[in-house]
Amino acid sequence: MPYGYTGKVLHVDLTTGKMEVEEPGEGFFRKYMGGSALGSYYALKLMPAGTDALGPDNVLVLSLGVTTGAAISGQSRVTATAKSPLTGAIGDAQAGGFWPAEAKGAGYDALVFTGKAEKPVYLWISDGQAELRDASHLWGKVTGEVDAAIKQELGDEKVQVLQCGPAGEKQVRYACIINMSNRANGRTGMGAVMGSKNLKAVAVRGHKRPEVADRKALAALARWGAQNLEDSGVYGMTLNGTADVLGYQNEVGGLPTRNWESGSFEGYEALTGEVMTDTILKEGDTCYACVVRCKRVVETEWQGHKVEPLYGGPEYETLATLGSYCGVSDLDAVAYANQLCNMYGLDTISAGATVAFAMDCFEQGLIGLEDTGGVDLRFGNAEAMVQMVEQIAQREGFGNVLAEGTGRVARRLGPEAEKLAVVVKNHDLPAHMPEVKRSLGLIYAVNPFGADHQSSEHDPAYEGDFDGYRERLAQLDLLEQQPEFSLSPEKIRFALYTEQFYSLLDSINVCQFVYGPAWHLYGPNQLVEMARAVTGWDLSLWELMKVGERRLNLMRAFNTREGFGREDDVLPPKLAKPRKGGPSEGMTFEPEELERAKDIYYGMCGWDQQGVPTRAKLEELSIDWVAEAIGL
Amino acid sequence: MTMTVHVKLYSRFRRHLPKEAQGEANVELPEGATLARLLDQLNISGRVQLVSVNDEPEPDRDRILQQGDNVRIFPFVVGG
Ligand code: SF4
């Protein structure tokens, strides 16, 4: 019996209802670890090139990792991988909560879904036994209702439910997957893929998780985490959630405002994590075994609508995209829109960003009241923002247009609208501005699933000399702190090495607030200690970093096969125009700077100048089968 | 002679003031006091990421403060 993981992958053919258990062996798990590396492996192996992302040939993988379910902070994560209906590239999203740890106990490290069920179904796994059940009566219901209904019909309150909401059923291209009614595999439309397969939910219950190799070592590390939490950089999130950063972002001109017109928002104060703590916060919440407790549970009201604790509370990204992106400074309105996203299963980032883009088009006269169904889509109009989120979630009215995503709507509206679309590979930019975090701009452009803020360490960690963080970055051979706003070769090394490290985190599948290269609760060497204690493997940081690099190459190879290349690794034109007002007044991110950085980055990756992994690189990573898969 | 400056503390630094202050206070200092003196008086050390005085970032801890200055102080903060 392996330590930490079950060794079992469940393949579910939704077309035939047939299920098979694969046991790929220890070598496979040590090489791919889980999460996104494992998901990308199956996506590449099982999916033909050019697959319709919303068709039955798409392959949806829900994967845990070799340490999921162990008694330590930050391990309860699930990754969703499939071809993205939003980007056409590899899709990838992580979520925490209690579902992942429970799923491990239910007996599998990964679930691989192929085909399409004839009628809505849900998968029920209980202590290794898997069964597809009818979900017709759950179709069209919001997440909270479905969660309760499944628990009731299975007669066990401890069942954990992961599901696509009504937005996923209706195949909104940025529909997400939700567990616990408030945790999201948010990005790249993985909920739409679930919906397209008529897969409503996956319910899990398990009474026995795999043994851990060295319980004492794991307990000592867990104790260290609890004792050092207050000194750790992540502690601000314990106090105020991820929105702890919002005030700072505004202070440095890095809070995207009115669809990225500006980096500072005059109404920011109402949206800070501190204000949320002082006003609508009911309590903090957590994921299985995590001492950080960064999750928010809020309770309030907006225009007679209740905002219920069941649906959690807004993250920083949500406060920015549904708030400052739209020029909205009404915390209750944002909390209510956040609840709608969690009820219907919508990615809050793309939902807010798409509404902000539509507001920009409206303000510029590219669309009018006749297009919006009479909704006055002006920046700052909280009612209009909420109304649009609701319409998108249900694919009603103008929301049905916006459900296609910013990039597609922009192309439909023409070149003037395209200039306002703040996307990379059709993926809306999250709320960290490359103008003030230059290496993040490079990562936004090259990241395989589109612009993402959780795929590398942000620049400030390598721009100041912070006690404790310096030593951890040194573990990744990052020794020379760089000046503010630089995109030097040394900064590009920082971007690449931390990208590979974050890629590892998404493969071993742990929380990027708990484990990381600087301010996190645990540093790189402690991640190695944790993984050794759980699996019993004699692991090193070298070996783990290779897993991260392997994942990036698998994803890149998937995209190569789908026709993506260097020309897709670009930032939106709006970023080349000067920001207006506040500390980032006049700042830009020009294409020339990005192209120079890409030359260096591709070279450092061992890719050709089209951004395609070379055969030698794939061989070096011991995945030469990928070269055949993409015809190298 | 003393002077008063208005401070706003963010994130974990809010705990350097009584809870009901919600991170904001008027602080009395001797005239001619520096930013370093203010940080000292508030007992703030460790990872300070950003201090701004009257809406401008101020990296110099020897900056001499004036009556009525507005000071905002941020620790190293993160969020996703
Ligand atoms: S830090 Fe937050 S998101 Fe990460 S595991 Fe802990 S509670 Fe969950």
Side-chain angles (χ1 to χ4, degrees), chain A residues 232 244 251 269 274 278, chain B residues 8 11-12 14 47 52:
Chain A
S232 155
D244 194 53
E251 193 78 11
E269 262 183 288
E274 290 88 342
D278 295 339
Chain B
K8 183 154 184 192
S11 183
R12 65 175 66 209
R14 296 211 306 168
R47 304 177 190 115
S52 71

Side-chain angles (χ1 to χ4, degrees), chain A residues 230-232 235 239 242 244-245 247-248 251 268-269 274 278 316-317 432 453-454 460 466-467 469 519, chain B residues 8-12 14-15 22 24 47-50 52 55-57 72 74-80:
Chain A
E230 286 203 28
D231 184 49
S232 155
Y235 187 59
L239 298 171
T242 49
D244 194 53
V245 79
Y248 170 79
E251 193 78 11
Y268 84 97
E269 262 183 288
E274 290 88 342
D278 295 339
Y316 162 67
E317 286 293 332
H432 296 263
H453 60 296
Q454 289 294 129
F466 299 104
D467 269 354
Y469 306 169
W519 48 267
Chain B
K8 183 154 184 192
L9 308 181
Y10 286 81
S11 183
R12 65 175 66 209
R14 296 211 306 168
R15 304 202 312 171
Q22 299 193 338
E24 285 191 72
R47 304 177 190 115
V48 178
Q49 189 168 14
L50 180 72
S52 71
D55 295 333
E56 291 291 331
R72 288 195 288 267
F74 296 83
F76 188 93
V77 282
V78 288

Side-chain angles (χ1 to χ4, degrees), chain A residues 74 77 97 183 234 285-287 290 292-295 511 513-514:
Chain A
R77 304 286 291 175
R183 310 302 164 92
V234 80
D285 198 2
T286 192
C287 304
C290 184
V292 177
R293 302 186 67 85
C294 78
K295 298 288 124 191
C511 178
F513 303 152
V514 177

Side-chain angles (χ1 to χ4, degrees), chain A residues 358-432:
Chain A
M359 286 177 160
D360 210 354
C361 291
F362 190 89
E363 297 262 0
Q364 311 278 333
L366 302 175
I367 53 173
L369 290 171
E370 63 288 359
D371 301 293
T372 65
V375 180
D376 184 33
L377 262 187
R378 283 187 198 289
F379 286 126
N381 185 345
E383 283 88 3
M385 180 275 289
V386 170
Q387 218 175 333
M388 272 304 128
V389 168
E390 208 157 11
Q391 286 190 12
I392 292 168
Q394 306 185 41
R395 271 196 178 269
E396 279 173 9
F398 190 55
N400 191 31
V401 175
L402 298 184
E404 290 296 296
T406 305
R408 281 178 176 79
V409 180
R411 273 190 297 285
R412 206 174 114 174
L413 293 174
E416 287 309 306
E418 285 185 83
K419 288 183 200 155
L420 307 178
V422 187
V423 294
V424 174
K425 303 181 180 77
N426 279 346
H427 201 235
D428 302 277
L429 263 62
H432 296 263

Side-chain angles (χ1 to χ4, degrees), chain A residues 589-602:
Chain A
F589 202 122
E590 312 273 348
E592 297 72 31
E593 184 180 8
L594 178 64
E595 292 306 312
R596 271 198 305 276
K598 275 157 62 180
D599 289 346
I600 299 171
Y601 172 86
Y602 292 154

Side-chain angles (χ1 to χ4, degrees), chain A residues 111-294:
Chain A
L111 311 172
V112 180
F113 297 96
T114 51
K116 177 185 177 176
E118 204 182 321
K119 286 190 300 205
V121 293
Y122 75 91
L123 179 68
W124 161 227
I125 310 177
S126 171
D127 290 322
Q129 296 301 312
E131 177 194 353
L132 283 168
R133 296 173 68 113
D134 180 42
S136 308
H137 58 299
L138 303 171
W139 208 247
K141 291 207 156 71
V142 298
T143 54
E145 290 169 357
V146 170
D147 201 287
I150 290 182
K151 283 175 175 154
Q152 205 195 12
E153 72 187 46
L154 296 173
D156 187 348
E157 271 302 301
K158 292 205 165 128
V159 166
Q160 288 293 337
V161 178
L162 167 151
Q163 57 177 312
C164 73
E169 296 170 11
K170 297 213 157 102
Q171 299 174 22
V172 175
R173 287 186 187 270
Y174 40 95
C176 66
I177 296 175
I178 295 269
N179 79 78
M180 298 173 77
S181 304
N182 53 43
R183 310 302 164 92
N185 293 85
R187 307 232 62 197
T188 67
M190 296 296 94
V193 176
M194 260 185 100
S196 75
K197 293 187 170 302
N198 271 334
L199 175 64
K200 178 66 181 167
V202 181
V204 292
R205 181 79 172 102
H207 291 85
K208 198 170 181 306
R209 280 194 288 269
E211 289 291 317
V212 160
D214 187 343
R215 273 170 179 276
K216 256 172 102 177
L218 191 72
L221 203 55
R223 216 166 25 248
W224 185 94
Q227 283 162 355
N228 286 275
L229 173 63
E230 286 203 28
D231 184 49
S232 155
V234 80
Y235 187 59
M237 288 196 204
T238 306
L239 298 171
N240 300 317
T242 49
D244 194 53
V245 79
L246 196 142
Y248 170 79
Q249 294 281 79
N250 190 71
E251 193 78 11
V252 297
L255 179 67
T257 299
R258 289 181 288 275
N259 196 34
W260 293 69
E261 177 198 69
S262 178
S264 52
F265 181 38
E266 62 287 349
Y268 84 97
E269 262 183 288
L271 302 174
T272 61
E274 290 88 342
V275 165
M276 186 157 61
T277 302
D278 295 339
T279 57
I280 65 174
L281 184 76
K282 184 165 179 268
E283 59 193 353
D285 198 2
T286 192
C287 304
Y288 169 72
C290 184
V291 297
V292 177
R293 302 186 67 85
C294 78

